[in-house]
Amino acid sequence: MLGYGAVLPFEVIYLHDGRGFSLGIAGLVVGTLTGVAVVTAPIAGAVIDRIGARATVAAAGLFLAAGYAGLAFAESPPTALAAAALAGAGNGALSPSQSALMTALAPRELLHRASAVSRVAVNVGIGLGGALGGLVAGFGLKGFMALFLANAATYVVYVAILVATVREDVPAARVVGGYRRLLRDRAFVHFALTNIVLIAVGWGVLAWLVPPYAEELGLAPGLIGLLFLANAATVVLAQVPIVKWAEGRSRVGALALGAGAWVGACVLAVLAPGGTPTAAYLCLVAAAVAFGLGECLHATAFLPLVADLAPPELRGRYMAAIGLTWWVGLALSPTLGAQLLAVSPSLALLAAAALSVAAIVSLLALEARLPAGVRLIPHPRTTAPR
């Protein structure tokens, strides 16, 4: 995440300013990084169930390394698109295979804690990477190239550590039914569809709707950047305490409470223009913190719930399917949100709040569909190891 965080804010800037691509072409290249992932994620799920998560993670890391190294030297749009497609294939495989591997390695009663530590690591890596990347990007084209090569190197180092230290039992039985069995799991499908809304609001609003809204309020880019720092700091500081507080409590309750925090965040953002510039900014800071708290609650229940619903022989497919909900949610938020922003920023934020309320209703209905044994977040002191 350190290398990824270093390049994430500068992908479009590098392609546009550093390589001279038009904004449209630069956006197409960056869109390929996620667009290809939508295609490769379901394929990766089947691969995980056939050869194991560890091997799939390693392959995904090498695809990402090759793709970002190629982007460092991409002097033409076709070359950049080819490199982005390689990295996109890695993106689609990395998330579900990492999730499946974590599920295989962490005992069930500790999986929610492992997920929390992972979430903290992601935010620390992206935050530090973004700060370091901003310094290196100041050196122009050579600085951008160095960032992309450094990101490629971090994936190689990651794969080397993975291969050297991690062991996993490779699936032995042939999978029967595959995705057809997954689609017959009504509780999982219900949760997956609800999660699209949760991701679109919980992550998409802060990433794509708040910045242009804040700019319209007259905030400088530096102050907008501090909103993201406040969000990341909230996750780093609050994730582990929230996980420990949630142990023994309802998973659906934690998810619904997280969605409620996002309702509050959207309302705080809507209230921002009502006072002085300082008061408006403080409202947005509070909203960024509320988004972070919602992320913590979501992370506490999300991965362990999917892991418990997934039969062991279909774990890869379940992780790939739930990973798709992230890509879809993150794609819908800027696509639909931008249209509402053009009409009214307040309308866009209130619509996001309404969607979050609908997600809460859906989550509460999900409780009855869940098997009794997966409804609560395990408590290590009261749960027997598997």
Side-chain angles (χ1 to χ4, degrees):
M1 287 298 114
L2 187 69
Y4 179 65
V7 302
L8 183 61
F10 304 108
E11 289 172 339
V12 172
I13 296 173
Y14 158 64
L15 295 168
H16 180 58
D17 296 344
R19 291 301 182 184
F21 298 175
S22 69
L23 280 174
I25 293 296
L28 179 62
V29 172
V30 174
T32 301
L33 292 168
T34 55
V36 173
V38 173
V39 178
T40 58
I43 299 172
V47 172
I48 294 166
D49 291 332
R50 182 174 293 274
I51 68 172
R54 174 176 173 267
T56 311
V57 172
L62 294 177
F63 269 88
L64 280 157
Y68 275 102
L71 283 169
F73 297 103
E75 297 181 354
S76 66
T79 305
L81 285 168
L86 272 178
N91 272 332
L94 186 67
S95 178
S97 54
Q98 280 184 319
S99 297
L101 187 59
M102 186 187 302
T103 301
L105 296 176
R108 178 181 181 271
E109 70 275 8
L110 293 177
L111 183 56
H112 58 290
R113 292 188 179 184
S115 180
V117 172
S118 175
R119 177 64 58 186
V120 170
V122 166
N123 280 271
V124 170
I126 289 180
L128 290 178
L132 294 172
L135 297 176
V136 178
F139 290 94
L141 178 58
K142 290 185 178 179
F144 287 130
M145 293 176 67
L147 287 179
F148 278 77
L149 288 173
N151 186 34
T154 62
Y155 286 114
V156 174
V157 172
Y158 172 52
V159 170
I161 294 172
L162 179 81
V163 171
T165 63
V166 176
R167 295 293 176 266
E168 180 202 17
D169 294 330
V170 179
R174 181 176 177 270
V175 176
V176 178
Y179 282 109
R180 292 192 301 274
R181 284 174 59 191
L182 178 150
L183 291 173
R184 289 196 294 269
D185 185 339
R186 293 186 177 181
F188 175 77
V189 172
H190 184 148
F191 178 53
L193 293 174
T194 305
N195 197 56
I196 293 174
V197 179
L198 294 174
I199 300 307
V201 176
W203 278 262
V205 170
L206 182 64
W208 287 293
L209 301 191
V210 169
Y213 176 64
E215 188 177 40
E216 187 175 294
L217 294 178
L219 296 181
L223 290 176
I224 296 173
L226 289 177
L227 296 176
F228 289 85
L229 178 60
N231 175 261
T234 299
V235 174
V236 171
L237 295 174
Q239 181 67 82
V240 172
I242 284 176
V243 162
K244 299 197 76 172
W245 166 83
E247 288 175 348
R249 302 176 190 271
S250 165
R251 283 171 169 164
V252 166
L255 291 165
L257 191 59
W262 295 332
V263 174
C266 292
V267 172
L268 282 168
V270 170
L271 296 175
T276 64
T278 300
Y281 186 63
L282 290 176
C283 272
L284 291 180
V285 171
V289 170
F291 275 117
L293 293 174
E295 291 176 36
C296 293
L297 287 158
H298 183 275
T300 297
F302 168 74
L303 179 61
L305 176 57
V306 177
D308 274 354
L309 289 174
E313 69 276 14
L314 291 178
R315 184 175 290 149
R317 286 173 170 85
Y318 271 69
M319 293 303 173
I322 205 67
L324 267 182
T325 67
W326 284 75
W327 295 117
V328 174
L330 291 176
L332 288 176
S333 187
T335 303
L336 301 179
Q339 309 304 316
L340 292 175
L341 275 176
V343 178
S344 166
S346 295
L347 175 63
L349 291 165
L350 290 174
L355 283 173
S356 200
V357 170
I360 292 172
V361 174
S362 179
L363 286 168
L364 296 178
L366 171 66
E367 182 87 29
R369 281 185 162 174
L370 292 177
V374 308
R375 291 179 183 175
L376 298 183
I377 297 169
H379 198 300
R381 291 197 299 270
T382 59
T383 307
R386 64 182 179 185

